[in-house]
Every structure is written in C-alpha cells, then in structure tokens.
Amino acid sequence: MAEMTFYPLGNADCCQIKTQNNKRILFDYAHVREAENEDDKRCDLAVLLRKDMKDADKNAFDIVAFTHLDRDHCGGAGDFFYFEHAAKYQAGDRIKINMLWVPAAAILEDDPSEDARIIRQEARYRLKEGKGIRVFSRPEKLKDWLESEGLSLDDRKHLITDAGN
C-alpha cells in the first residue's frame, strides 16, 4: 500500500508519496522553519527528508513536482536539491531529482525569486536537454520560448502533458 506524508509547515506545502515498490514522489518543497525561533512549530523539512531518504537507501526522488513557484511551495529548494544546470548546486549531501514536474509557468517566469529562479533554470535546462522533465501545460504556451531556444514544439512534445486532456 502506498503511504502519503504531509509535513507540518504552517502556511506552506510539501507532501511525499511512497509507493509499494519504494518510489518516492515529492510534491512541493518549502523549508520555511526558522531554526533560531524556538516557538516555531514547523518541522525541519530538510532534516526529515534527508533521514527518510537515508533510511530508504536512496539519494534521489523519483519525481519532484513543483505545483508553482511561490515561496511557500519552493522555499529552500536551492539549498536542498542537486540541480544539473550548475555545478554550485551539486556539492555536499544534496538530494537528486530523477524526474522534475513543473507547470509551463515555471519555465516562462520572468522575474522569479531566488529559489524559484533556480527551479526555473533547472526546468529550462532539462527541457532543452530533452530529458528528466515533464511539463504540464497547453503545449502551445511553450511554442515561442522553445523557438527562441532553437527548438520546436515537435522536438519536445513528448515531454509536455497537455493540461487540457
């Protein structure tokens, strides 16, 4: 039987699904706890997830889905995950992402905050590379951006799930 864990993060989101065959799917990541505030009752998400991954003998989530790039859904991700697009996000005990799921807005975002920018860059990198990503959107929303990168919608259509179907 699959197991689902919702993490106590206050007004932020993160949940993990563990499947029967030891797959790990994480929806959002918001490490928002203020360690110096002893009254902060939110969990230390990074510690809990690292322990869980170590106990499962895994160094990567099978899927990490960011539903959108507001801080309460991606805060702290830049310090936690291993990102392929830049060496500075690959050191230490960072947790890898086998498959990144994002909405098209994550790729098209114009002026994102720091963690959102890192996720945007990772999503763009993976989409350009043609692997390790699934984008949920109307495909035509990405047409202009793909063309600006020298790609066509047909080149990457297999990585896009039409949100309308």
Side-chain angles (χ1 to χ4, degrees):
M1 177 183 296
E3 176 184 321
M4 187 174 228
T5 304
F6 292 89
Y7 295 94
L9 298 169
N11 191 30
D13 291 304
C14 181
C15 71
Q16 180 180 188
I17 299 171
K18 299 175 189 174
T19 67
Q20 286 180 316
N21 59 349
N22 200 30
K23 301 276 187 197
R24 296 289 196 273
I25 304 167
L26 191 72
F27 284 89
D28 293 324
Y29 177 92
H31 183 68
V32 292
R33 186 171 191 281
E34 298 171 3
E36 65 282 354
N37 180 356
E38 60 188 50
D39 294 328
D40 192 340
K41 304 294 185 216
R42 296 174 290 191
C43 72
D44 189 327
L45 185 60
V47 167
L48 291 176
L49 291 176
R50 278 195 179 90
K51 180 184 182 319
D52 184 65
M53 295 298 277
K54 182 179 179 186
D55 291 349
D57 196 28
K58 294 180 77 81
N59 69 347
F61 280 99
D62 297 283
I63 298 169
V64 174
F66 289 99
T67 59
H68 61 285
L69 299 185
D70 288 351
R71 183 177 182 276
D72 61 337
H73 291 260
C74 71
D79 295 323
F80 183 76
F81 291 107
Y82 179 104
F83 291 111
E84 297 174 8
H85 76 274
K88 70 181 183 177
Y89 303 113
Q90 298 172 359
D93 63 348
R94 292 172 176 270
I95 304 295
K96 294 182 178 182
I97 300 170
N98 291 338
M99 179 66 67
L100 178 64
W101 287 3
V102 294
I107 291 164
L108 303 174
E109 186 89 25
D110 281 334
D111 188 25
S113 65
E114 182 64 19
D115 288 307
R117 183 191 57 76
I118 295 165
I119 294 164
R120 180 195 67 187
Q121 293 309 105
E122 182 71 7
R124 287 177 172 183
Y125 174 82
R126 289 176 180 230
L127 190 56
K128 286 189 270 189
E129 291 292 309
K131 62 182 181 179
I133 189 164
R134 173 68 53 191
V135 182
F136 294 86
S137 172
R138 298 278 189 190
E140 60 274 3
K141 285 191 172 194
L142 293 168
K143 184 178 184 296
D144 291 342
W145 183 85
L146 286 166
E147 288 176 356
S148 75
E149 296 297 321
L151 299 165
S152 73
L153 187 55
D154 283 339
D155 292 335
R156 296 297 181 261
K157 204 168 196 167
H158 65 287
L159 302 173
I160 303 168
T161 298
D162 189 332
N165 291 327

